[in-house]
């Protein structure tokens, strides 16, 4: 692009020369002792096309090398990271942030208007204290509930992983474990997340990641207040070991008078009881899915009344889909309750009907002669005898035989082969 001598001289005098980049925690990495290479005027900014100081570093072990992509002026105008172009406060794409804050920043895209706009923004940056964003973003009075719900509270270091090895995908990579790229199956090329443009992300248009997050925000659950107006208690879960009662009171006192605060350390949860229902509803609305204390995202729900706790047994009979389970036909019913007295005691252990014969039910029968103490049910002599056509009847039990000379099984005359051996001996 041909530029005038004056503008070329101005651009050359205002080329960026920085000592440290503007980065988010994810791009910087988890290693506190990091080494960077600095190249003065190494490349031109991918937004304003002006040369700037390029920084290059490795965020961690088995991670790919990263470098700054845009200049610090473009980064300050949108309050984004120089590498990933995500918002420094919420960790979200610019399109999601502007939608949540209802900001419409129509930044010019033509070369001449962009240069003039950038020069005016540089003057505003020099006059500001550097603690707040400039432009339309700096005029926003407060934050958004949607952004607090979608905001990332911890770094996402998986974003720094190496790219997929194209030789491995084709089956031609010979480096093995020494290959600095990932040996994984690539994503679907038709996936919209596979087609991302750095300029679309910066200007906040046609960003597939932003579209995915906005759809997630529209489908987020809500915390409806219970019908019982006497409930003024909120349940706070996921406390951990670092959050104290004073931390909870410092957050919830702004919504109204707190009656009691109970912390259950074993379950890592707490119960906040307010003096009025209005204060509890306000606290639930302002804290649901966006409560962060000491860097921990906490869960906020309504407490339950005593009547609701008494109905937990009935709720257990409901399935996960909310429908009551019906009994399967053909299965036996529940066993009868135990008898109240010894007179009602019977041997009907299998819940059989009254039409069943006593021999099948193995009920108490009169003992045979000579037996004073009958055996318990199930341990007596067999009730079924074989038919005559099947062979001779089995011998009676030893306890029912008359006393005689038979003392051992080998002397039993009815044992198999006993008659043959007796005749053979005679």
């Amino acid at each position: 692009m041909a530029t005038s001598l004056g503008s070329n001289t101005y651009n050359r005098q205002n080329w960026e020369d920085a000592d440290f980049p503007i980065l988010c925690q994810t791009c910087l990495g988890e290693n506190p002792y990091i080494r960077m290479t600095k190249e003065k005027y190494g490349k031109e900014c991918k937004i304003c096309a002006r040369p700037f100081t390029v920084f290059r570093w490795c965020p961690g072990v088995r991670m790919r090398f990263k470098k700054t992509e845009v200049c610090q002026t473009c980064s300050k105008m949108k309050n984004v990271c120089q590498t990933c172009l995500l918002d420094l406060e919420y960790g979200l794409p610019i399109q999601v942030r502007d939608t949540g804050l209802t900001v419409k920043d129509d930044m010019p895209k033509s070369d001449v208007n962009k240069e003039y706009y950038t020069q005016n923004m540089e003057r505003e940056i020099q006059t500001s204290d550097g603690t707040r964003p400039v432009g339309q973003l700096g005029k926003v009075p407060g934050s958004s509930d949607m952004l607090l719900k979608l905001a990332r509270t911890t770094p996402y270091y998986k974003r720094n992983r190496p790219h997929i090895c194209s030789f491995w995908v084709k089956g031609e990579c010979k480096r093995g474990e020494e290959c600095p790229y990932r040996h994984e199956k690539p994503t679907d090329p038709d996936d919209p997340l596979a087609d991302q443009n750095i300029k679309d992300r910066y200007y906040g248009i046609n960003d597939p990641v932003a579209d995915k997050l906005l759809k997630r925000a529209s489908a987020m659950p809500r915390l409806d207040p219970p019908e019982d107006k006497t409930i003024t208690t909120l349940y706070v879960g996921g406390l951990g070991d670092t959050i104290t009662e004073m931390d909870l009171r410092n957050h919830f006192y702004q919504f109204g008078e707190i009656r009691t605060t109970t912390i259950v350390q074993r379950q890592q949860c707490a119960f906040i009881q307010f003096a009025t229902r209005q204060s509890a509803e306000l606290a639930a609305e302002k804290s649901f899915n966006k409560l962060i204390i000491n860097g921990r995202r906490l869960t906020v729900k309504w407490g339950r009344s005593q009547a609701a706790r008494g109905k937990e047994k009935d709720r257990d009979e409901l399935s996960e889909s909310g429908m009551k389970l019906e009994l399967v036909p053909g299965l036996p019913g529940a066993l009868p309750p135990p008898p109240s007295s010894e007179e009602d005691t019977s041997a009907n252990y299998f819940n059989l009907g009254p039409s069943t014969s006593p021999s099948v039910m193995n009920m108490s029968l009169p003992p045979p002669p000579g037996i004073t103490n009958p055996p318990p049910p199930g341990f007596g002599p067999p009730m079924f005898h074989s038919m005559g056509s099947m062979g001779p009847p089995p011998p009676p039990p030893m306890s029912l035989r008359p006393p005689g000379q038979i003392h051992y099984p080998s002397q039993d005359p009815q044992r198999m082969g006993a008659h043959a051996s007796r005749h053979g001996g005679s």
Side-chain angles (χ1 to χ4, degrees):
M1 179 189 69
T3 57
S4 62
L5 181 60
S7 94
N8 193 13
T9 304
Y10 174 83
N11 290 337
R12 190 175 302 167
Q13 292 177 353
N14 290 273
W15 285 353
E16 178 190 305
D17 185 10
D19 295 329
F20 197 82
I22 301 175
L23 301 174
C24 63
Q25 183 63 34
T26 300
C27 292
L28 192 59
E30 56 184 344
N31 184 10
Y33 307 101
I34 193 172
R35 294 186 299 177
M36 288 186 178
T37 60
K38 174 183 174 182
E39 186 179 2
K40 191 175 181 179
Y41 312 141
K43 284 191 176 183
E44 65 178 18
C45 176
K46 294 186 177 180
I47 303 299
C48 64
R50 295 189 303 175
F52 72 104
T53 303
V54 177
F55 295 89
R56 188 173 181 269
W57 71 99
C58 182
V61 182
R62 302 292 297 177
M63 301 294 179
R64 73 176 187 271
F65 276 84
K66 309 194 75 173
K67 59 183 177 59
T68 53
E69 305 290 346
V70 298
C71 64
Q72 293 195 4
T73 302
C74 295
S75 173
K76 293 177 181 178
M77 286 192 299
K78 292 284 189 177
N79 192 31
V80 295
C81 172
Q82 283 188 262
T83 300
C84 63
L85 270 66
L86 296 180
D87 185 78
L88 293 174
E89 183 177 357
Y90 302 103
L92 299 172
I94 297 176
Q95 184 177 349
V96 178
R97 182 200 63 190
D98 293 348
T99 303
L101 298 177
T102 62
V103 174
K104 189 176 181 181
D105 190 3
D106 294 332
M107 184 176 177
K109 299 179 178 60
S110 63
D111 296 335
V112 178
N113 294 336
K114 187 193 306 180
E115 184 177 348
Y116 177 74
Y117 180 82
T118 304
Q119 293 176 9
N120 293 336
M121 296 304 296
E122 281 182 343
R123 296 190 187 97
E124 187 176 351
I125 292 173
Q126 292 175 1
T127 57
S128 65
D129 56 355
T131 58
R132 287 186 55 83
V134 296
Q136 295 292 332
L137 185 60
K139 300 177 183 179
V140 178
S143 60
S144 170
D145 295 342
M146 182 190 72
L147 297 182
L148 293 177
K149 294 178 182 179
L150 296 176
R152 184 178 292 277
T153 58
T154 57
Y156 185 65
Y157 294 121
K158 284 187 177 181
R159 203 169 62 219
N160 300 331
R161 293 183 302 171
H163 296 294
I164 295 177
C165 179
S166 59
F167 288 90
W168 183 85
V169 174
K170 295 183 293 184
E172 299 177 359
C173 183
K174 300 180 181 179
R175 295 184 178 183
E177 296 181 356
E178 298 179 357
C179 183
Y181 298 96
R182 280 189 297 157
H183 288 182
E184 296 180 6
K185 183 180 178 180
T187 58
D188 187 7
D190 297 333
D191 188 1
L193 297 179
D195 186 14
Q196 302 183 30
N197 191 351
I198 188 171
K199 289 189 175 182
D200 291 343
R201 170 168 293 184
Y202 185 83
Y203 292 119
I205 55 174
N206 301 327
D207 189 355
V209 179
D211 294 339
K212 179 180 178 180
L213 292 176
L214 291 176
K215 291 179 180 178
R216 182 190 303 176
S218 61
M220 275 188 172
R222 299 180 302 174
L223 184 63
D224 298 328
E227 297 180 358
D228 190 357
K229 298 297 182 180
T230 61
I231 299 178
T232 59
T233 305
L234 294 181
Y235 165 85
V236 182
L239 298 181
D241 300 331
T242 59
I243 298 178
T244 61
E245 181 179 351
M246 186 57 63
D247 296 333
L248 296 175
R249 284 185 171 271
N250 291 339
H251 172 77
F252 285 101
Y253 87 97
Q254 57 182 324
F255 306 113
E257 181 183 354
I258 298 177
R259 182 173 298 174
T260 58
T261 303
T262 306
I263 295 181
V264 184
Q265 195 64 34
R266 179 179 298 179
Q267 304 295 334
Q268 294 188 351
C269 65
F271 296 92
I272 312 296
Q273 184 180 10
F274 288 88
T276 60
R277 175 60 179 260
Q278 184 179 2
S279 301
E281 291 182 358
L282 181 61
E285 179 184 356
K286 298 295 184 181
S287 303
F288 179 65
N289 271 356
K290 50 191 172 185
L291 177 58
I292 301 174
I293 299 180
N294 294 342
R296 292 183 64 91
R297 183 181 292 274
L298 305 182
T299 304
V300 178
K301 297 180 182 179
W302 279 97
R304 291 177 295 177
S305 62
Q306 297 294 337
R309 294 178 182 177
K311 297 179 180 179
E312 288 183 354
K313 185 176 181 180
D314 298 337
R315 294 178 182 176
D316 293 340
E317 297 179 359
L318 301 179
S319 62
E320 296 181 357
S321 59
M323 299 178 61
K324 190 170 183 179
L325 300 177
E326 298 181 358
L327 296 178
V328 180
L331 293 180
L335 294 177
S340 58
S341 62
E342 296 181 357
E343 299 177 356
D344 301 335
T345 306
S346 63
N348 190 6
Y349 302 106
F350 300 99
N351 200 18
L352 300 177
S355 60
T356 311
S357 61
S359 60
V360 176
M361 295 176 59
N362 199 12
M363 297 181 63
S364 300
L365 299 177
I371 302 300
T372 58
N373 296 326
F379 294 91
M383 296 298 177
F384 300 95
H385 301 284
S386 57
M387 304 300 294
S389 59
M390 300 299 294
M398 296 295 296
S399 60
L400 300 181
R401 296 178 185 177
Q405 298 181 358
I406 299 176
H407 301 287
Y408 302 99
S410 59
Q411 300 177 1
D412 189 357
Q414 296 184 1
R415 67 183 180 86
M416 185 179 297
H419 297 282
S421 61
R422 186 173 300 176
H423 290 294
S426 61

